[in-house]
């Protein structure tokens, strides 16, 4: 039995999702004539208590559009050193927006208000202008770590006082919310813009949403167009997103239970050096001595378990919709037999 723990992006549409896609009513969304996309955008905006949303091909695009709309060239974005916008988006902040990044180093990718305020630059001709704070919840490289709503509120109050905008990279925001019990509107109230991935734990094949005010999203639509991200009859994809929001949020808890089972099993293995605290669907662990991730991954793959290296001696497992309890049991058996 194969189990793919490489990422929560590897899921395939379920039968119910495919039926919803098949039945979608579509039109040309460049003319705003796709009723299914309009429905998804209105649903997402309302869910987070904002005015509007725009459907995009990827979370990289929604993040990059947000940075572009919130900043001008020579500004800077304050974020954690582990954040996706810095690590995995090809330095798009520089390419698309002509801005710099002001990085904060933490243990797990979770910032506090003191750290962010200390990073804000004074206004001098020779310094970039600190304009935008980006928080990532959950933080991927931080091991799927979660922000407490109180920490977000403290950063928000400080940013309002200091005149900085806030964007949420919420690629996995629902993984955080099912754990904390905070509502989507609780989170929505603390940010000027929010990016949500439908193609991660929610199990849609493609798509992300950028959510914000009417004016912000109007500008975001123009930036999406210039990036080449406006789509035509993409209602078939939006239908998958609507289905995912309706059916795949609560079940994320199951992925988190599976991640805990994997972490518990790793705990007992004498070749594992340390496991990052498991909070959601991501398990990151280090290897002892001179054991390399590449060789462990090769041996695991021979036993039907696929995962990815997160450093020369670090491995990441991600649980998701297409991983069953039986597959987790098999993966644990494989780990114990290495
Ligand atoms: C996956 C991810 C994104 C966006 O990725 P795409 O593959 O471009 O959709 C953004 N932020 C985080 C934290 C992610 O994990």
């Amino acid at each position: 039995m194969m189990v793919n723990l490489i990422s929560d992006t590897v899921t395939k549409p379920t039968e119910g999702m495919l039926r919803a896609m098949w039945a979608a009513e579509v039109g040309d969304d460049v003319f705003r004539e796709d009723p299914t996309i309009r429905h998804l955008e209105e649903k997402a905006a309302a869910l987070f208590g904002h005015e509007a949303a725009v459907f995009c091909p990827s979370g990289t695009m929604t993040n990059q559009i947000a940075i572009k709309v919130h900043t001008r060239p020579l500004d800077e974005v304050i974020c954690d050193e582990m954040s996706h916008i810095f690590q995995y988006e090809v330095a798009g902040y520089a390419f698309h927006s002509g801005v710099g990044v002001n990085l904060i180093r933490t243990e797990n990718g979770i910032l506090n208000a003191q750290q962010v305020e200390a990073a804000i630059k004074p206004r001098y001709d020779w310094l970039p202008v600190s304009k935008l704070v980006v928080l990532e919840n959950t933080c991927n490289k931080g091991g799927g770590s979660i922000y407490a709503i109180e920490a977000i509120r403290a950063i928000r109050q400080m940013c309002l006082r200091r005149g900085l905008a806030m964007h949420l990279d919420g690629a996995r925001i629902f993984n955080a919310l099912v754990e904390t019990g905070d509502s989507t509107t609780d989170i929505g109230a603390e940010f000027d813009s929010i990016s949500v991935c439908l193609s991660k734990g929610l199990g849609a094949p493609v798509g992300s949403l950028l959510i914000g005010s009417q004016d912000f999203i109007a500008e975001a639509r123009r930036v999406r167009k210039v990036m080449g991200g406006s789509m035509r009859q993409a209602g078939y994809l939006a239908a998958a997103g609507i289905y995912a929001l309706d059916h795949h949020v609560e079940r994320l808890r199951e992925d988190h239970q599976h991640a805990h089972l994997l972490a518990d099993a790793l705990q007992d293995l004498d070749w594992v050096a340390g496991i990052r605290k498991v909070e959601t669907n991501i398990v990151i662990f280090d290897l002892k001595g001179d054991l390399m991730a590449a060789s462990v991954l090769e041996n695991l793959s021979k036993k039907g378990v696929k995962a990815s290296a997160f450093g020369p001696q670090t491995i990441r497992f991600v649980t998701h919709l297409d991983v069953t309890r039986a597959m987790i049991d098999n993966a644990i058996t494989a780990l114990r037999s290495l």
Side-chain angles (χ1 to χ4, degrees):
M1 187 188 289
M2 287 288 299
V3 52
N4 189 340
L5 302 172
I6 287 179
S7 173
D8 46 9
T9 54
V10 302
T11 56
K12 309 254 168 69
T14 61
E15 219 179 291
M17 183 178 280
L18 281 172
R19 264 200 297 274
M21 294 170 76
W22 181 256
E25 209 187 312
V26 299
D28 188 335
D29 188 54
V30 176
F31 298 112
R32 305 290 294 281
E33 282 178 355
D34 189 304
T36 310
I37 292 179
R38 295 185 74 120
H39 177 194
L40 173 62
E41 290 172 344
E42 283 160 21
K43 184 182 176 75
L47 194 58
F48 285 88
H50 279 261
E51 289 171 351
V54 59
F55 183 52
C56 292
S58 73
T60 298
M61 188 179 280
T62 48
N63 281 336
Q64 292 300 322
I65 292 172
I67 292 170
K68 179 79 183 158
V69 177
H70 283 302
T71 63
R72 292 194 311 170
L74 314 183
D75 288 343
E76 73 174 14
V77 177
I78 296 175
C79 61
D80 194 280
E81 182 262 338
M82 291 188 198
S83 60
H84 196 277
I85 59 160
F86 172 63
Q87 295 280 348
Y88 306 119
E89 298 183 11
V90 213
Y93 52 88
F95 184 76
H96 298 295
S97 304
V99 299
V101 283
N102 182 348
L103 303 174
I104 299 173
R105 276 177 193 80
T106 61
E107 280 294 302
N108 61 351
I110 302 297
L111 302 172
N112 66 46
Q114 290 75 19
Q115 290 166 320
V116 178
E117 185 158 29
I120 298 173
K121 294 211 165 78
R123 294 285 191 123
Y124 288 114
D125 289 350
W126 54 89
L127 295 177
V129 176
S130 304
K131 189 65 73 65
L132 174 68
V133 174
V134 177
L135 305 185
E136 185 174 314
N137 194 19
T138 67
C139 180
N140 169 28
K141 207 170 192 301
S145 50
I146 300 176
Y147 271 92
I149 190 90
E150 295 76 21
I152 296 175
R153 287 188 180 130
I155 297 171
R156 178 61 163 176
Q157 288 310 308
M158 185 279 294
C159 283
L160 287 173
R161 186 159 46 75
R162 300 292 303 264
L164 275 74
M166 275 174 71
H167 172 70
L168 171 64
D169 180 352
R172 296 190 179 83
I173 187 60
F174 289 104
N175 293 88
L177 295 179
V178 300
E179 288 298 322
T180 61
D182 301 322
S183 71
T184 43
T185 48
D186 287 340
I187 281 283
E190 307 304 325
F191 291 92
D192 298 291
S193 58
I194 299 164
S195 162
V196 177
C197 285
L198 300 164
S199 57
K200 297 268 165 84
L202 296 186
V206 175
S208 289
L209 289 153
L210 181 60
I211 300 161
S213 69
Q214 206 72 255
D215 288 350
F216 178 88
I217 295 300
E219 196 52 30
R221 286 181 183 282
R222 292 174 52 75
V223 177
R224 180 185 65 165
K225 184 65 187 172
V226 79
M227 288 180 175
S230 297
M231 299 178 286
R232 303 289 179 176
Q233 284 75 359
Y236 294 114
L237 299 173
I242 293 166
Y243 185 92
L245 287 170
D246 288 342
H247 297 92
H248 293 167
V249 173
E250 289 305 318
R251 64 150 306 284
L252 290 169
R253 290 175 215 282
E254 209 175 295
D255 299 342
H256 301 176
Q257 284 158 8
H258 289 164
H260 280 285
L261 290 172
L262 288 168
D264 290 346
L266 288 167
Q267 207 97 52
D268 300 331
L269 301 175
D270 58 11
W271 47 271
V272 172
I275 309 161
R276 239 42 86 74
K277 184 179 167 207
V278 174
E279 300 186 52
T280 51
N281 67 327
I282 297 176
V283 183
I284 298 177
F285 61 98
D286 299 311
L287 305 173
K288 266 192 193 153
D290 51 11
L291 191 57
M292 301 308 286
S295 79
V296 172
L297 289 172
E298 196 187 317
N299 288 326
L300 272 178
S301 115
K302 283 180 194 146
K303 294 171 188 286
V305 180
K306 292 207 263 182
S308 58
F310 228 52
Q313 290 195 285
T314 308
I315 290 175
R316 184 186 76 163
F317 291 157
V318 187
T319 58
H320 53 78
L321 181 61
D322 289 358
V323 174
T324 61
R325 173 62 195 266
M327 290 179 190
I328 292 293
D329 292 341
N330 271 32
I332 289 171
T333 306
L335 283 166
R336 288 185 176 142
S337 71
L338 282 188

